[in-house]
Amino acid sequence: MRTKKINKQSSAQKTGKRRWPLKLGMLILLVGGIYFGGRYVFNVVSHTMFPVKEIIFSGNKHLTDNELKAIMGLKENEGLIGISSRDLSAKLLKSAWVRSVSFRKDFPHRLLVRIEESAPYALLEMNGRTFFVDDRGNLLEEIKGGSVPFLPVISGDPFKNSETFSEALNLVKAMKGKGFINMKGRVEVIMPKGAGSEDISMQVDGTLVKVGYGEYEEKLGRLIELEDEIRKRGIPVDYIDLRFANRVVVKPISEVIR
């Protein structure tokens, strides 16, 4: 009799051990079902509740509202709760014209989008094509026909010499700070092919000016003073060289005007 009792206990223990994985599996399925079911319900609700009926843009001057909406790619009646500002920002920032963007959800049905656009800083003439570029050197848009607003021109290939292109932008910045561009008809910064930053030059209303590397504000200041002297003397100028410290060389005249 004692032997039978022991066998019954052993059998019950084995049965309990077999049921434990089954119970654990059922618990996992239950928790998983609740989790994924909850996520599904949340996604459905978040993408349908408070549908966007109005998108208000501000700060955009070049890109139209319709162009921005197309870039954002929002579905019709997309719910405000489910909209990801990070995803929309990533899409908008793919446009070179969009410098930064911020969003505000104005419940129940409006999305407010604040755009900071890049501004045309100069024109880049490269391989027979002309582009707007911003102050960071990013290509904004190719210009095809139509009138072009007056901006300083940079000629050369920035992809072959990024360091020289960066210096050309610094020169443009110095010119704008001095008001130099407003005094002239056409200003072109030339990046010589295969040369370095020390060979940067300008064409200023048809006159070649050798600028070289660095100290652009000081060099422009000397150039402005020199132009008054040249105008007074009526000197015919072949080119002007600003690359020497504290002086300017004018050719074909052999004298140095200090």
Side-chain angles (χ1 to χ4, degrees):
M1 293 296 293
R2 183 177 298 176
T3 303
K4 290 182 179 181
K5 185 176 180 180
I6 293 173
N7 290 339
K8 286 181 180 180
Q9 289 177 347
S10 177
S11 177
Q13 289 175 352
K14 290 180 180 180
T15 301
K17 289 180 180 180
R18 287 196 296 269
R19 288 179 179 177
W20 169 243
L22 180 62
K23 291 179 180 180
L24 180 60
M26 291 178 66
L27 179 61
I28 292 173
L29 287 175
L30 178 62
V31 172
I34 294 173
Y35 172 75
F36 288 107
R39 283 196 60 177
Y40 175 77
V41 171
F42 175 78
N43 287 334
V44 170
V45 171
S46 64
H47 285 83
T48 56
M49 185 175 290
F50 305 118
V52 177
K53 296 183 180 179
E54 187 179 13
I55 302 177
I56 299 178
F57 295 97
S58 60
N60 54 311
K61 297 178 181 178
H62 179 83
L63 296 172
T64 67
D65 290 3
N66 288 334
E67 286 173 330
L68 290 168
K69 287 178 182 178
I71 295 172
M72 290 167 62
L74 277 181
K75 297 178 181 179
E76 187 176 357
N77 292 324
E78 182 82 7
L80 267 179
I81 296 176
I83 289 176
S84 170
S85 298
R86 179 180 296 180
D87 291 345
L88 292 183
S89 294
K91 291 180 180 179
L92 287 170
L93 290 172
K94 288 181 180 179
S95 169
W97 284 103
V98 179
R99 197 180 190 100
S100 66
V101 59
S102 60
F103 300 89
R104 185 163 70 87
K105 297 176 182 181
D106 187 15
F107 288 93
H109 301 297
R110 290 200 308 176
L111 179 64
L112 309 180
V113 185
R114 173 68 183 173
I115 300 289
E116 181 188 355
E117 286 189 338
S118 296
Y121 193 72
L123 301 178
L124 174 66
E125 291 185 351
M126 176 179 60
N127 301 326
R129 301 164 69 184
T130 303
F131 301 85
F132 284 120
V133 295
D134 65 10
D135 58 344
R136 300 174 181 175
N138 298 315
L139 274 64
L140 299 178
E141 182 179 309
E142 184 176 2
I143 301 172
K144 297 181 178 180
S147 60
V148 178
F150 176 72
L151 289 168
V153 178
I154 301 174
S155 62
D157 191 339
F159 299 103
K160 292 182 178 179
N161 197 336
S162 59
E163 182 179 346
T164 303
F165 182 50
S166 178
E167 285 304 313
L169 289 170
N170 289 335
L171 175 55
V172 169
K173 181 179 179 180
M175 286 192 288
K176 290 191 174 189
K178 285 281 188 182
F180 184 79
I181 296 171
N182 299 331
M183 309 175 189
K184 308 300 176 183
R186 175 183 168 88
V187 178
E188 178 182 357
V189 179
I190 303 169
M191 298 189 298
K193 186 176 181 180
S197 302
E198 66 278 3
D199 296 308
I200 291 176
S201 61
M202 300 188 296
Q203 282 281 352
V204 182
D205 291 339
T207 300
L208 177 63
V209 180
K210 298 180 180 182
V211 181
Y213 174 82
E215 299 180 349
Y216 302 121
E217 292 187 2
E218 293 83 351
K219 291 176 179 178
L220 289 172
R222 297 202 299 270
L223 177 61
I224 293 171
E225 292 177 1
L226 176 67
E227 286 179 326
D228 290 337
E229 187 69 22
I230 291 174
R231 195 177 300 111
K232 291 176 183 178
R233 296 189 186 187
I235 302 173
V237 175
D238 182 14
Y239 69 83
I240 300 171
D241 198 336
L242 303 174
R243 294 175 296 175
F244 302 96
N246 301 319
R247 63 176 181 165
V248 178
V249 175
V250 179
K251 291 291 185 177
I253 298 175
S254 58
E255 68 178 284
V256 176
I257 303 177
R258 298 181 184 277

